[in-house]
Amino acid sequence: MPETFHSPQQVKVFILYLLEKIGYPLDYNDLATIVIRDGYVDYFDFVTYFHELLEAGHIKRVGGDEDEENQNKERAFDRDSYMVADTGKMIAKGLADDLLLATVREKSYISAMRHLSLEKRGAVIKHDLEQVGDGTYIFHCSIQDCDGLAFELDLRADSYMQASRMRMNFEDKPDVVYRGIVALVTGNVNYLLEK
């Protein structure tokens, strides 16, 4: 297990970095899960520093009922989402390189993407088959998310059956294909063995 961050600044920047990098609002449970999942931040630090960031205006609440005077705060977390405010974005972009190792940032972002499905991120999945010769096909596939084009791939298939299998597998599990390709090109092939 990796060593946890000891500095409050590191924990806060880490929370802001992941929320900013993901680029869309997350509910409290998803945010807590992705921040603590790799062991750099423990749950109690997350709760403490998340509330400090929220109170300081670096994270803002989106949606839900604004009147919480008579409601349990934990119940409010269930229906609200949170995103980085402009000041939080400046902090994340300005300090992430200084306070967080590149390997920590990359591993944590990949881990967060594992947790958050493409559907939850509002990704648009496209694919088609193009016949380019006698019995030869090109399988085209792409994924676009809130940041634009995330993935685009063209593969040659030597038969219609092979091309159809590619299309079916991609259509069935585009997030697994995407994460598998990312894992291979980043050298994180252990991902393929993890659940």
Side-chain angles (χ1 to χ4, degrees), residues 1 34 43 50 71 104 106 115 166-167 190:
M1 184 174 206
I34 65 171
Y43 180 74
F50 171 81
Q71 298 176 15
V104 169
E106 182 180 322
H115 176 75
M166 288 177 182
R167 180 174 56 187
N190 288 339

Side-chain angles (χ1 to χ4, degrees), residues 168-183:
M168 271 184 359
N169 287 329
F170 183 73
E171 195 173 64
D172 188 39
K173 293 186 170 107
D175 54 331
V176 172
V177 172
Y178 172 67
R179 292 189 317 245
I181 296 290
V182 170

Side-chain angles (χ1 to χ4, degrees), residues 41-57:
V41 176
D42 68 39
Y43 180 74
F44 297 108
D45 282 345
F46 168 75
V47 171
T48 300
Y49 298 125
F50 171 81
H51 287 287
E52 287 183 17
L53 289 166
L54 189 61
E55 288 174 13

Side-chain angles (χ1 to χ4, degrees), residues 75-94:
R75 284 191 45 208
F77 289 141
D78 290 341
R79 68 178 183 281
D80 289 337
S81 294
Y82 299 88
M83 62 186 295
V84 179
D86 290 339
T87 57
K89 287 179 185 179
M90 288 179 9
I91 292 168
K93 289 177 182 175

Side-chain angles (χ1 to χ4, degrees), residues 60-104:
K60 61 184 177 180
R61 183 175 288 130
V62 181
D65 185 8
E66 298 301 320
D67 179 18
E68 295 179 10
E69 288 180 288
N70 300 320
Q71 298 176 15
N72 180 321
K73 287 194 180 261
E74 286 301 315
R75 284 191 45 208
F77 289 141
D78 290 341
R79 68 178 183 281
D80 289 337
S81 294
Y82 299 88
M83 62 186 295
V84 179
D86 290 339
T87 57
K89 287 179 185 179
M90 288 179 9
I91 292 168
K93 289 177 182 175
L95 295 177
D97 288 344
D98 294 337
L99 294 178
L100 307 173
L101 294 172
T103 54
V104 169

